[in-house]
């Protein structure tokens, strides 16, 4: 499992959950099982439900022999649906380590990394139809411009979109190397790798509908968390973090604060700490992929909450 993915801020995540040995917990991003295994160490009569849509994660889940553990091979946007299936109404803690696992980046055939040549794929769930290849070859120029600008924060997103459309006119773009030939001339000198990372991030987010899926999941959190239950979310880029921050501070992903007749802010969660938690320099040295991680902790308000519909 350690080869699959090195869990980021493991100690901070476990502390943030404040695990009750008899409580019910959810790991929304099982991956290599690093966080799940640590949670299980703290459980007595409690139970852990772990989600992951990546078929490769199934093998890691099968290696865990514990009566306190249930693996769910599904996207975490179906959180409430599967908890209902297992007759779970409320949980004491939810953990989500967003982003792509080390295994997915390092698996050449998955097409997540520009370090390898492979089919333009980038699907976290290989059963889905949409791939990066489809986006590059079929999306209109305006949509490509929007994706690269919004999801990758690519400064020359318009020029990039135009270059892709112009080049695909004569030849379909099938592989990573073919795609790199198109975008490399647009990359800032001496910052090519950062540029490639931004472009690939944008494609990956669109392929997997990551923002849409994350919003779906976050809006379910107030309904599944028990009173004083903990939410622990680790994000890796500003769009993800902003959505988590908004839910905690405003009680909603978009829009302004809502208040009751007395002026009290209507929100189901309270931040445990005001500032985001970031990895130590020592951890970043051990695991460079922890560099951009941001951890937010929240607890469910004790006052009655009607839920977000």
């Amino acid at each position: 499992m350690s080869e699959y993915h090195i869990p980021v801020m493991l100690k901070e995540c476990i502390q943030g959950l404040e695990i009750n040995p008899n409580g019910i917990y959810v790991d929304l991003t099982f991956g290599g099982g690093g966080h799940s295994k640590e949670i299980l160490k703290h459980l007595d009569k409690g139970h852990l439900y772990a989600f992951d849509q990546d078929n490769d994660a199934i093998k890691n889940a099968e290696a865990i022999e514990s009566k306190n553990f249930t693996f769910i091979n599904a996207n975490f946007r179906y959180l409430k649906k599967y908890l209902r299936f297992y007759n779970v109404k409320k949980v004491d803690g939810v953990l989500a380590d967003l982003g792509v696992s080390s295994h997915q980046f390092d698996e050449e055939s998955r097409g997540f990394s520009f370090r390898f040549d492979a089919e333009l794929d980038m699907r976290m769930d290989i059963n889905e139809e949409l791939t990066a290849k489809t986006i590059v070859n079929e999306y209109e120029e305006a949509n490509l411009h929007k994706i690269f600008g919004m999801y990758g924060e690519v400064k020359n997103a318009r020029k990039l979109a135009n270059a892709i459309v112009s080049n695909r006119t004569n030849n379909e773009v099938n592989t990573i190397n073919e795609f790199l030939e198109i975008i490399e001339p647009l990359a800032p000198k001496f910052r090519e790798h950062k540029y490639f990372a931004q472009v690939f991030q944008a494609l990956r987010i669109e392929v997997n509908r990551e923002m849409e899926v994350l919003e779906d999941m976050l809006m379910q959190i107030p309904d599944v968390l028990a009173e004083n239950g903990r939410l622990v979310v680790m994000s890796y880029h500003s769009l993800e973090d902003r959505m988590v921050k908004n839910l905690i501070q405003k009680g909603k992903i978009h829009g302004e604060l809502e208040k009751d007749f007395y002026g009290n802010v209507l929100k189901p969660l309270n931040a445990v700490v005001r500032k985001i938690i970031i990895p130590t320099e020592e951890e970043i040295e051990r695991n460079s992929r922890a560099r951009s991680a941001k951890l937010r902790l929240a607890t469910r308000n004790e006052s009655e909450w009607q839920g977000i519909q």
Side-chain angles (χ1 to χ4, degrees):
M1 291 186 191
S2 61
E3 296 178 356
Y4 186 100
H5 181 70
I6 302 173
V8 176
M9 286 194 275
L10 179 60
K11 179 181 177 182
E12 292 87 343
C13 287
I14 300 302
Q15 288 178 339
L17 284 173
E18 286 197 343
I19 298 173
N20 172 0
N22 301 319
I24 299 176
Y25 293 87
V26 179
D27 180 353
L28 291 173
T29 48
F30 177 77
H35 288 105
S36 283
K37 288 196 299 179
E38 195 62 33
I39 292 172
L40 287 168
K41 290 178 183 178
H42 294 76
L43 295 182
D44 182 11
K45 295 180 181 179
H47 202 88
L48 171 65
Y49 295 89
F51 285 73
D52 205 300
Q53 62 182 339
D54 193 330
N55 287 336
D56 289 342
I58 297 175
K59 300 174 184 177
N60 296 326
E62 290 174 344
I64 296 180
E65 298 179 359
S66 171
K67 59 182 175 54
N68 305 94
F69 178 72
T70 298
F71 178 72
I72 300 169
N73 185 205
N75 190 300
F76 61 44
R77 76 187 309 171
Y78 304 114
L79 171 61
K80 286 176 67 173
K81 172 185 174 181
Y82 279 96
L83 289 181
R84 283 197 300 266
F85 177 80
Y86 287 101
N87 200 31
V88 176
K89 296 181 179 179
K90 298 289 181 180
V91 303
D92 297 287
V94 175
L95 167 69
D97 179 2
L98 307 175
V100 183
S101 71
S102 303
H103 169 78
Q104 289 168 327
F105 271 124
D106 295 337
E107 187 69 25
E108 297 182 24
S109 63
R110 303 296 293 274
F112 283 104
S113 175
F114 54 82
R115 293 178 294 142
F116 314 110
D117 189 26
E119 286 283 317
L120 277 168
D121 195 323
M122 301 192 190
R123 290 173 296 173
M124 292 183 182
D125 182 352
I126 60 174
N127 296 312
E128 294 291 335
E129 293 184 6
L130 183 64
T131 66
K133 178 180 173 181
T134 303
I135 293 171
V136 169
N137 287 288
E138 298 182 12
Y139 272 32
E140 294 182 358
E141 185 173 331
N143 286 344
L144 290 173
H145 174 207
K146 179 181 178 181
I147 290 167
F148 292 124
M150 182 181 298
Y151 296 154
E153 298 178 311
V154 178
K155 292 184 178 179
N156 60 353
R158 185 185 299 276
K159 185 179 291 187
L160 172 61
N162 179 261
I164 292 171
V165 172
S166 299
N167 279 272
R168 77 187 188 191
T169 302
N170 297 321
N171 296 296
E172 186 176 69
V173 184
N174 295 307
T175 68
I176 290 174
N177 280 353
E178 290 172 357
F179 185 58
L180 288 176
E181 287 180 10
I182 297 173
I183 71 174
E184 188 168 12
L186 300 173
K189 196 172 183 180
F190 305 120
R191 297 179 60 195
E192 290 87 352
H193 280 201
K194 181 178 180 180
Y195 185 80
F196 297 159
Q198 290 174 304
V199 172
F200 273 58
Q201 172 182 287
L203 283 175
R204 189 202 78 224
I205 289 174
E206 176 65 14
V207 167
N208 298 288
R209 306 286 194 233
E210 291 179 33
M211 296 300 101
E212 175 186 321
V213 168
L214 178 58
E215 181 172 350
D216 282 354
M217 178 272 285
L218 289 174
M219 295 299 280
Q220 297 173 55
I221 293 299
D223 290 336
V224 302
L225 272 184
E227 290 187 358
N228 299 315
R230 288 295 185 104
L231 174 66
V232 177
V233 182
M234 192 149 44
S235 59
Y236 295 84
H237 60 78
S238 59
L239 291 176
E240 291 176 335
D241 181 60
R242 189 177 304 126
M243 292 172 72
V244 178
K245 178 182 177 181
N246 284 346
L247 178 67
I248 295 172
Q249 293 187 349
K250 301 180 180 180
K252 57 202 305 187
I253 306 300
H254 308 290
E256 298 302 318
L257 286 170
E258 292 185 12
K259 298 181 180 181
D260 63 15
F261 180 78
Y262 301 99
N264 300 311
V265 176
L266 295 170
K267 60 178 189 145
L269 304 174
N270 283 328
V272 175
V273 290
R274 290 187 177 182
K275 292 185 178 180
I276 57 173
I277 301 170
I278 59 175
T280 63
E281 293 185 5
E282 291 76 15
E283 178 169 7
I284 294 173
E285 288 180 6
R286 295 194 307 270
N287 180 13
S288 61
R289 286 175 178 158
R291 183 179 295 109
S292 57
K294 297 177 180 179
L295 182 65
R296 290 190 184 273
L297 311 176
T299 184
R300 172 76 148 70
N301 284 339
E302 292 186 18
S303 59
E304 185 177 353
W305 174 253
Q306 297 301 318
I308 299 177
Q309 303 301 322

